[in-house]
Amino acid sequence: LLNFHGTVFANDGKTPAGNTLVEIWHCNENGVYDNTSDDYIYRASFKTGADGKYHFNTILPIPYSTGNDNFRPAHIHMRVSGNSQQDLVTQVYFKGDEHIAKDESANHPKSINRILEIKNGKDNSKVVQFDVVLAKEYLLEASAYKKISGLYQMNDKSMAEFYRQGDQLFAKLNG
C-alpha cells in the first residue's frame, strides 16, 4: 500500500489552495495503464479541503518497458487544477529507481524536486509526500489564440489542428 499525500499551496507558497482538484494516474503492477475500461483502475481524483491537503491510497507503480531494453522509471502522473491558479500537469518519480538516470523526463535537472523519497509507514505501508505550489494563472490574450489556431502539417506528414475552446487550446490529430 502506498500512502501518497501532500498539500497544495497558492502561488505565494504559504496559502493553502482549498477546493483544488488533484488527479493522479499510473500503471498497474504489470506496467499497464487502464486506458480502455470504465473502471479507471489506478486513476483517482480528490478535491482539497480548505487546508489544501490531499491524500490517496494506491499501489507503488513499477518501471515498465518501452521496448528495445528501455524502461520508464516508476512514476505517478498528476494534474492539479485550482481556481485562479495555473493548472499543473506533471509526473513524480521515486528515489533509488535505477531507470531515472536514462529517462529524459526524470533525469532533467529541473526534475530534482519531483524525485521523491519513499518512507516506511505503519503496517508495512509506504509513504510519499508531495507538496505543490501552483503558479499564478497565465491567461493568453485572444490574439495569441488566433495566431496559434489553425491546421498544420507535421514533419511526418500527419495533420494537426489547433483550436480554442474557452480558455484552453486543443490539438486534434488527423481529424
Side-chain angles (χ1 to χ4, degrees):
L1 179 67
L2 176 66
N3 173 335
F4 185 77
H5 71 278
T7 304
V8 180
F9 296 97
N11 62 312
D12 64 5
K14 297 176 184 174
T15 306
N19 199 36
T20 298
L21 179 64
V22 180
E23 300 169 272
I24 66 165
W25 63 99
H26 60 81
C27 68
N28 67 14
E29 62 277 358
N30 298 312
V32 177
Y33 286 87
D34 178 6
N35 293 325
T36 57
S37 84
D38 292 334
D39 297 325
Y40 298 106
I41 299 171
Y42 301 116
R43 296 170 182 267
S45 62
F46 181 87
K47 280 218 171 181
T48 64
D51 60 2
K53 295 189 182 302
Y54 72 89
H55 176 261
F56 298 99
N57 284 323
T58 187
I59 65 166
L60 185 63
I62 64 166
Y64 58 83
S65 174
T66 60
N68 299 329
D69 292 324
N70 292 320
F71 281 81
R72 288 291 334 269
H75 59 280
I76 294 178
H77 299 265
M78 294 185 74
R79 179 176 181 215
V80 184
S81 309
N83 295 329
S84 300
Q85 303 291 307
Q86 186 65 37
D87 286 5
L88 171 69
V89 179
T90 192
Q91 296 176 31
V92 296
Y93 307 94
F94 307 103
K95 287 185 180 176
D97 189 318
E98 65 182 295
H99 302 289
I100 288 175
K102 293 182 180 178
D103 186 85
E104 290 182 22
S105 296
N107 71 17
H108 192 279
K110 290 185 177 180
S111 297
I112 192 71
N113 294 326
R114 296 184 290 117
I115 301 174
L116 308 176
E117 183 178 352
I118 301 173
K119 296 182 179 179
N120 291 321
K122 298 176 183 175
D123 304 326
N124 295 323
S125 67
K126 302 293 182 191
V127 178
V128 172
Q129 181 174 344
F130 183 59
D131 294 335
V132 175
V133 177
L134 293 174
K136 187 175 179 182
E137 188 173 31
Y138 176 76
L139 297 175
L140 288 177
E141 304 244 347
S143 61
Y145 284 107
K146 192 171 183 174
K147 286 180 183 179
I148 297 169
S149 296
L151 189 61
Y152 296 85
Q153 183 174 13
M154 309 308 283
N155 289 341
D156 65 358
K157 304 295 183 205
S158 64
M159 300 302 290
E161 180 183 6
F162 292 89
Y163 62 96
R164 179 182 184 179
Q165 191 171 34
D167 66 349
Q168 296 182 347
L169 182 68
F170 289 88
K172 188 184 327 180
L173 304 177
N174 292 320

